Amino acid sequence: EVQLVESGGGLVQPGGSLRLSCAASGFTISSHYMTWVRQAPGTGLEWVSVIYSGGSTYHADSVKGRFIISRDNSKNTLYLQLSSLRAEDTAVYYCARGYTGSSSLYFDYWGQGTLVTVSS
Amino acid sequence: QSALTQPRSVSGSPGQSVTISCTGTSSDVGDYNYVSWYQQHPGKAPNLMIHDVNKRPSGVPDRFSGSKSGNTASLTISGLQAEDEADYYCCSYAGSPWVFGGGTKLTVL
């Protein structure tokens, strides 16, 4: 059974840093592209970052230079390093698995999310 | 990376049909057949309902269907049921990045 479990969220001051983790089970993350999506309170989903099976990464303009997506294949875990945090980064952060198939691109499994609150 | 445009809310009575539109640009919805739709109930994670414009994952009722014309994708829910009341988000591949719609709240009257 595919499972994604996020952790690492919490309260952090503006300008601070945090590392989110997404522990995967039931599949091998290095065989899939993996993504982070966030949702600020009362608002919609916002795509944040993606890491492809080959290792290439992309980030949304809103977080470029401040967030870094990575993975540890030995731990089958996805990470998101958040730095220079701002109030507007307050959100629930979800990790999701990208479906790997011919002529298909979508996120088929999602974790339950971890809340990051940026406040002094 | 502007968000895709969705109506903020739609509503319908049980048994009726509703359609939610999702308008993008020639760089995302119009350029790729990689539009997906996600249902989200309050406090829950998003759940995949449609992928690659019009394909339904196993377990999703055939009351849910998707389509696309030009820069606009649509999700149609027929035979509305009370449990369909939720937020719906479209998402399009845009050449890495990806982009989501602002979300549509579906109310079943």
Side-chain angles (χ1 to χ4, degrees):
Chain A
E1 180 191 5
V2 172
Q3 279 197 318
L4 297 168
V5 179
E6 301 96 334
S7 61
L11 175 63
V12 60
Q13 291 187 338
S17 299
L18 211 56
R19 189 179 78 161
L20 307 182
S21 300
C22 171
S25 58
F27 73 102
T28 302
I29 64 169
S30 60
S31 298
H32 292 258
Y33 59 98
M34 299 291 295
T35 198
W36 288 96
V37 174
R38 69 183 180 181
Q39 186 170 33
T43 70
L45 302 174
E46 179 188 13
W47 176 80
V48 174
S49 302
V50 66
I51 183 167
Y52 287 96
S53 57
S56 56
T57 63
Y58 298 86
H59 298 82
D61 288 345
S62 59
V63 306
K64 201 170 293 183
R66 300 188 300 122
F67 292 7
I68 298 174
I69 188 172
S70 64
R71 69 186 183 214
D72 184 331
N73 295 339
S74 67
K75 296 181 179 179
N76 213 34
T77 298
L78 177 73
Y79 300 104
L80 186 67
Q81 179 70 44
L82 291 65
S83 59
S84 302
L85 282 163
R86 307 165 181 167
E88 55 264 36
D89 296 318
T90 294
V92 173
Y93 285 74
Y94 296 100
C95 67
R97 187 183 85 162
Y99 174 80
T100 299
S102 60
S103 300
S104 285
L105 287 174
Y106 57 94
F107 309 123
D108 56 356
Y109 287 92
W110 296 64
Q112 286 305 303
T114 186
L115 175 63
V116 173
T117 303
V118 184
S119 175
S120 55
Chain B
Q1 297 175 8
S2 299
L4 307 176
T5 300
Q6 297 181 233
R8 295 200 65 169
S9 64
V10 297
S11 62
S13 299
Q16 289 186 332
S17 294
V18 295
T19 296
I20 300 172
S21 62
C22 169
T23 300
T25 70
S26 57
S27 298
D28 39 63
V29 175
D31 201 20
Y32 302 97
N33 287 324
Y34 298 136
V35 176
S36 48
W37 290 88
Y38 302 88
Q39 177 192 66
Q40 187 180 38
H41 287 107
K44 301 294 187 181
N47 184 43
L48 177 69
M49 305 303 287
I50 293 287
H51 65 86
D52 303 320
V53 175
N54 56 15
K55 296 179 174 57
R56 218 174 24 254
S58 60
V60 173
D62 59 6
R63 303 183 293 102
F64 290 83
S65 63
S67 63
K68 191 187 89 166
S69 177
N71 295 339
T72 298
S74 298
L75 172 70
T76 297
I77 309 170
S78 58
L80 271 178
Q81 298 183 5
E83 59 262 35
D84 298 334
E85 184 161 299
D87 294 325
Y88 292 84
Y89 295 91
C90 61
C91 177
S92 176
Y93 178 70
S96 292
W98 299 75
V99 60
F100 281 90
T104 299
K105 180 175 181 57
L106 168 62
T107 301
V108 181
L109 302 170

